[in-house]
């Protein structure tokens, strides 16, 4: 047996998107499904690859949820102007020399669905596996950008003081790491917390966090925290607040508690009232909830793909939709301006980026900014190209470092192509 | 202490609708809710009164569910022509001499929401507690009428032979009570089954049935069936098939298995494709599901109130909606004609009624027929009055015998009033 080179060891051979197509694998098909095709919450198979290629589109079949209502109004038009020239657009993946096409990137990223808006019109839309236009897919940490935005709106409205500490709003967090963190530090994830988000480490606190919230099953005899709020009260400080950007999901759940306390409404209700019912969404969205009814603000939102794109389009248009200012332009401007670039680091695929109000800001020539979630969930907004891309995926590896090389240059290539070839 | 008369013992003093208003009681309100305001699936409080006044509108916050998609089309208009003269309409409750008004009946029935359509227009619509126009409420056994209708459609299309036995379609049920029952006997609930639907008896099989499906929590160490299908395979015969109408929920779940096997699609998908996406529904509906993804066909549907009314309107119009024949007129005619009245009995509030394709048929002068679910869920269709009433409720007592006296004569009084006072 020949030893692997470091490069080979780094890139284990993964089964392809085609080999793991959840429709072809037949998960949960049959009456009843064969035992080896059943995905159960209890055994954790819903978060295992390749089963997650099914369960990312079927979260509420596995766990309790609450609705984010679109209301009872009309659906806002999303005009269609599909064009067949995008599939052949070529780009060079990060760290490679051989180009790929946009069409090839679809499978390379284990894409479940992708839509491209140009000047507000659908120029490209494609689905695979078990995800459908009328279905909802888990947004993972794309969820955070919704709540960073809502948090920033509450600051703009004066309901939240960004310089106040969390304990002012949630006294229950006084003696935790969050107690003396400011709202601004939460919004930009510049807190010092003993909390690991390393998905490859089974002892990382992220797992205790999601188990507390009931997102993943608990081992027999489990005696840990039984809700998100109970978990938040166990988080200890490590280092100081106000230092470098350090991405930790738990910040968003703490922000969610603040939002809930300040508004007297669940975070899902806030999202419904402020955004979902304001944009003529096609579908309700939904949230996973814990045992006391709290939504997983850090990563539990599930939406249709087009509705995700509608939110991206709202951000591209400075908070306007249908001729109305749905969210303050100053909030969108602040996000687009980005955060402190000197505080950002450690992301080899995101050189020179920053993080602001739970959005990822590229600072490239087009002013592109993103919402990002593990396994390839994304909203990519390119203001210069008047382009929004929304993508849901089920990549075998959680970290977006694994799909960025075949995603980020592809997005930029499409942006350049649309600018050079307007229709 | 004075002994109660039998009549008093029969009618325990129940706390009023106002006293048990779930919004006023504040269930699940707060961040987090106070411990005594938390409703958890695990402790069964979601099915306890008065907590059920909250949980009937929040089923998916307690249990896993699947969607019944409305698709991505436009919402069908439900024109409004509200009138303020209905509240004063008087009727005499069954077995009483003192009249009540329509407005008083709202609280007497612990109504969560009610809508009255006259000639397809909303003439009355009212909500209470925590139920909203954009929310979904559990339909309980109103669910059955959807699947009786779909079963009858499959018979009309020749996909199902009503004279064939269940085992022909589901061999797994060969050695159970269902094996030699015909599809027609299932559809009309004229099967001989050892299965009690007595909600007042904790040992009734209905409880084992819903526990198998995960609708209610299981006791520690539970070793019984873990899905609806596993439970169905335990049901034994008692008496003969083809005898009197005997209402047993399990018939509908057996029918659900037949529908799933014959169509190769889940019962929720069948409902979505054949009805929900065809009527321009406002909201998706949803189903509770068991551990292998099977919907609770006997009682697990949750819908918005107006969408329930839209289905009633479809039935009133002989299966037509928006100028299209959505379901065969012959199926609707067969339901309206009713079942064998001589086989029907045991319902003091329903004298002379019959049961056909999982609908309740009054055989009154107006040809009224109903879908009915425990705790007061109802669709009441009065063809002569061109009227449809859809109601969701959370009555403290399960059996509709408890609310029929203040419901059925009220519906009829409104029908007569609308006929006498057209607008």
């Amino acid at each position: 047996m020949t030893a692997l080179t470091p490069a080979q060891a780094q890139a284990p051979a993964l089964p392809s998107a085609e080999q793991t197509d959840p429709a072809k694998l037949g998960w949960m098909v049959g009456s009843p499904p064969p035992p080896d095709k059943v995905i159960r919450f209890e055994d954790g198979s819903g978060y295992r690859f390749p089963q997650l290629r099914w369960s990312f589109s079927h979260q509420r079949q596995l766990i309790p949820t609450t609705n984010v209502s679109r209301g009872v109004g009309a659906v806002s038009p999303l005009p269609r102007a599909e064009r067949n020239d995008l599939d052949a657009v070529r780009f060079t993946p990060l760290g490679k020399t051989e180009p790929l096409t946009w069409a090839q990137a679809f499978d390379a990223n284990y894409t479940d669905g992708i839509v491209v808006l140009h000047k507000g019109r659908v120029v490209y839309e494609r689905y695979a596996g078990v995800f459908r236009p009328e279905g909802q897919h888990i947004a993972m940490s794309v969820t955070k950008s919704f709540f960073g935005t809502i948090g920033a709106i509450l600051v703009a409205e004066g309901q939240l003081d960004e310089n106040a500490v969390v304990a002012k709003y949630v006294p229950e967090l006084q003696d935790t790491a969050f107690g003396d963190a400011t709202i601004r530090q939460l919004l930009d994830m510049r807190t010092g917390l003993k909390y690991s988000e390393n998905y490859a480490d089974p002892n990382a606190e992220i797992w205790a966090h999601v188990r507390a919230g009931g997102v993943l099953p608990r081992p027999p005899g489990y005696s840990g925290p039984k809700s998100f709020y109970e978990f938040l009260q166990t988080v200890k400080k490590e280092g100081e607040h106000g230092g470098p950007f350090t991405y930790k999901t738990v910040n968003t759940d703490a922000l969610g508690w603040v939002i809930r306390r300040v508004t007297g409404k669940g975070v899902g209700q806030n999202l419904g009232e402020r955004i979902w019912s304001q944009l003529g969404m096609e579908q309700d969205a939904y949230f996973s909830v814990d045992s006391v009814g709290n939504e997983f603000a850090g990563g539990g939102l599930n939406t249709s793909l087009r509705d995700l794109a509608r939110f991206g389009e709202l951000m591209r248009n400075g908070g306007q939709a249908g001729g109305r200012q749905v969210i303050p332009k100053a909030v969108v401007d602040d996000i687009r301006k980005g955060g402190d670039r000197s505080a950002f680091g450690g992301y080899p695929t995101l050189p020179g980026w920053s993080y602001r109000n739970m959005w990822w800001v590229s600072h490239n020539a087009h002013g592109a900014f993103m919402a990002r979630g593990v396994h390839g969930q994304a909203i990519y907004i390119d203001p210069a190209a008047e382009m929004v891309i929304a993508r849901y995926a089920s990549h075998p590896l959680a970290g977006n470092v694994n799909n960025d090389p075949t995603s980020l240059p592809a997005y930029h290539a499409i942006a350049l192509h649309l600018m050079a070839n307007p229709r």
Side-chain angles (χ1 to χ4, degrees), chain A residues 113-132:
Chain A
I114 192 161
V115 61
V116 181
L117 302 185
H118 186 221
K119 300 181 181 180
R121 298 177 304 174
V122 177
V123 294
Y124 189 92
E125 184 172 9
R126 185 177 166 194
Y127 295 83
V130 294
F131 186 43
R132 300 279 175 273

Side-chain angles (χ1 to χ4, degrees), chain A residues 344-379:
Chain A
F344 190 94
Y347 289 82
T349 55
L350 308 177
W353 289 49
S354 72
Y355 194 80
R356 181 71 170 177
N357 292 332
M358 304 198 178
W359 287 84
W360 304 78
V361 183
S362 78
H363 300 282
N364 73 2
H366 290 191
F369 59 111
M370 288 187 78
R372 294 161 58 87
V374 285
H375 296 276
Q377 325 316 323
I379 308 175

Side-chain angles (χ1 to χ4, degrees), chain A residues 41 47 140-141 143-144 173 178 186 189 193-199 201-219 222 224-236 247-257 288-291 294-300 358:
Chain A
F41 173 77
Y47 207 74
M140 297 292 184
S141 296
T143 310
K144 295 181 174 72
L173 290 173
F178 301 106
L186 271 196
M189 292 219 193
L193 310 176
K194 182 174 172 354
Y195 178 97
S196 164
E197 185 105 8
N198 179 1
Y199 286 76
D201 173 8
N203 294 316
E205 282 83 358
I206 177 71
W207 300 120
H209 178 191
V210 295
R211 261 184 233 114
V215 178
L216 286 184
R218 298 166 181 163
Y222 177 82
K226 293 202 167 88
S227 70
F228 288 120
Y229 291 168
E230 286 182 32
F231 176 79
L232 289 173
Q233 292 173 74
T234 71
V235 178
K236 298 294 172 207
Y247 183 84
K248 299 189 172 183
T249 287
V250 74
N251 284 298
T252 315
D253 283 293
L255 176 68
W257 198 348
S288 55
V289 286
D290 68 13
S291 62
N294 283 320
E295 299 92 345
F296 181 23
M358 304 198 178

